[in-house]
Amino acid sequence: MSRLVLATLLSLCLAPLAPRAEATQVTTLIAEKAAANADGAMPANASYDVTLQTTSPTQAELVSAFWMDPATGQFAANVVTSDGETRRVYGMAVLTVPVPIPTHRLMPDTILNKADFRVVPLPYQRLSRFTITDIKQLAGMQVRQVLSADRPVLTQQVSPPLVVDRGARVSISYNHGRLTLTAPGRAITGAEAGQTVRVVNLASNRTVTGIARPGGIVEVTQ
């Protein structure tokens, strides 16, 4: 054997082997495949909750083939295990979204805060387009309809707090150029800040319409 051939064989023997892919939880691999197949259609904060058949391997190096029914979440996949064996796995991949739900029953007129909620993952396809999924949109809001415990909140069930309550005493501020006059009044309707509200001027017994401001003030411009 020539020295060149011997050196070549020796270099091949001493060359480091290509690193194998690390074994990963099959549920993680399937969730990544499902998200990739969604092609950007899934909400930014959504993820896939994957359930495997009990006979499926729990770890694998990669997914070599993947099929999924987007409507039901049922999938079939071929995964390659660490010993090089290809195994077929089946299960469900459900797209879920973290949703704030009340921890207790909340009555109308309650001002909400984050402590009133806990965040749980819920199936995206079961949510209404009116479902509030960001807890930041709930803090400081006022309840309009009873909120049941452990049920998602809909946009029509809450609103910004009223600054003028129906039947409440208000201060009517008349603005005409540089001239400002005030008069006592009583609200006929309720209103949020910046909304129009009808009030009775208690000094003249006339009904006027103005803009509700914080502090029970109604601005009327003439």
Side-chain angles (χ1 to χ4, degrees), residues 4-221:
L4 178 60
V5 173
L6 182 59
T8 302
L9 291 174
L10 183 60
S11 64
L12 291 175
C13 292
L14 296 177
L17 296 175
R20 296 180 62 89
E22 292 185 3
T24 305
Q25 290 290 331
V26 172
T27 52
T28 301
L29 295 173
I30 296 298
E32 292 173 351
K33 279 291 185 181
N37 282 12
D39 195 24
M42 58 187 289
N45 60 342
S47 61
Y48 278 94
D49 182 14
V50 178
T51 304
L52 298 173
Q53 288 186 345
T54 55
T55 57
S56 302
T58 59
Q59 291 193 326
E61 292 187 351
L62 58 91
V63 177
S64 59
F66 181 75
W67 305 267
M68 177 176 169
D69 181 359
T72 65
Q74 293 182 323
F75 71 85
N78 290 343
V79 299
V80 180
T81 63
S82 57
D83 58 7
E85 181 183 4
T86 298
R87 297 277 301 277
R88 175 66 58 87
V89 297
Y90 301 91
M92 294 284 295
V94 179
L95 184 63
T96 63
V97 176
V99 177
I101 60 174
T103 58
H104 54 282
R105 184 182 175 99
L106 294 162
M107 303 304 293
D109 296 331
T110 301
I111 302 300
L112 300 174
N113 60 69
K114 291 183 179 181
D116 292 318
F117 299 90
R118 63 188 179 96
V119 179
V120 298
L122 295 178
Y124 179 67
Q125 290 189 334
R126 296 182 185 177
L127 300 179
S128 162
R129 64 189 180 95
F130 300 108
T131 300
I132 296 176
T133 58
D134 187 351
I135 196 170
K136 294 179 181 178
Q137 296 178 2
L138 291 169
M141 298 290 273
Q142 190 169 16
V143 178
R144 291 285 164 255
Q145 303 173 15
V146 175
L147 303 183
S148 300
D150 299 327
R151 294 181 64 87
V153 179
L154 305 180
T155 54
Q156 61 266 32
Q157 293 181 295
V158 296
S159 68
L162 296 180
V163 295
V164 173
D165 292 317
R166 180 179 179 181
R169 291 288 295 263
V170 297
S171 176
I172 304 173
S173 175
Y174 290 95
N175 299 305
H176 184 72
R178 296 183 179 180
L179 179 64
T180 298
L181 301 175
T182 60
R186 187 175 301 277
I188 299 175
T189 57
E192 303 165 11
Q195 288 187 328
T196 58
V197 59
R198 296 177 64 222
V199 297
V200 175
N201 184 327
L202 298 179
S204 65
N205 205 33
R206 290 179 54 201
T207 299
V208 296
T209 300
I211 303 299
R213 301 300 184 194
I217 298 173
V218 175
E219 289 184 357
V220 176
T221 302

